Amino acid sequence: MTYDTNNIFARILRGEIPCKKVYEDDQVLAFHDIAPHAPVHVLVIPKGAYINQADFGARASADEIAALYRAVAKIATDLGLHETGFRTIANTGLNGGQEVPHFHVHILGGGALGPMLSKKLV
């Protein structure tokens, strides 16, 4: 699979589409999801062109990987989620529910999130 340079997150990174920014550094951008599934729903994306978590894990530098996960921890702390709890989700591929072909981590919190999946698959 080839990275789609016109996916919505690539366009946000280029400034073509606005976002409600929560955090930014040289390697990471985080912003509020436009269709939140929890009281707090933030997307954290690397600035590099990675399709999904498998691609990110295989090709990203150690610095990029550390930057992304440090950003997730900082954002959760800054938003006050670390005290009551939060969930991180990285959907990968069609069966994983990935909708945008740019690796991203969802941070969800601000209330009880319920079961891990909406229904049991086995």
Side-chain angles (χ1 to χ4, degrees):
M1 180 182 275
T2 306
Y3 181 79
D4 174 11
T5 59
N6 287 314
N7 75 69
I8 192 167
F9 293 167
R11 295 180 67 206
I12 288 171
L13 285 168
R14 290 193 300 266
E16 297 171 7
I17 296 173
C19 69
K20 189 175 174 188
K21 193 182 305 183
V22 172
Y23 175 85
E24 184 173 19
D25 65 23
D26 291 342
Q27 298 184 56
V28 175
L29 175 65
F31 50 91
H32 289 281
D33 194 302
I34 61 169
H37 290 257
V40 176
H41 188 167
V42 172
L43 302 173
V44 184
I45 65 173
K47 290 186 174 179
Y50 301 103
I51 298 167
N52 55 36
Q53 187 165 15
D55 183 32
F56 184 70
R59 295 189 313 107
S61 70
D63 287 344
E64 289 173 297
I65 293 168
L68 183 108
Y69 287 102
R70 284 194 179 108
V72 167
K74 178 176 178 17
I75 293 160
T77 299
D78 289 351
L79 294 174
L81 301 175
H82 67 290
E83 292 180 19
T84 57
F86 61 96
R87 182 175 293 161
T88 57
I89 299 172
N91 301 318
T92 299
L94 182 63
N95 284 348
Q98 185 175 3
E99 295 178 2
V100 178
H102 183 109
F103 174 56
H104 57 287
V105 174
H106 298 256
I107 301 174
L108 301 139
L113 298 175
M116 189 168 346
L117 294 173
S118 61
K119 62 181 180 178
K120 219 171 171 179
L121 299 177
V122 290

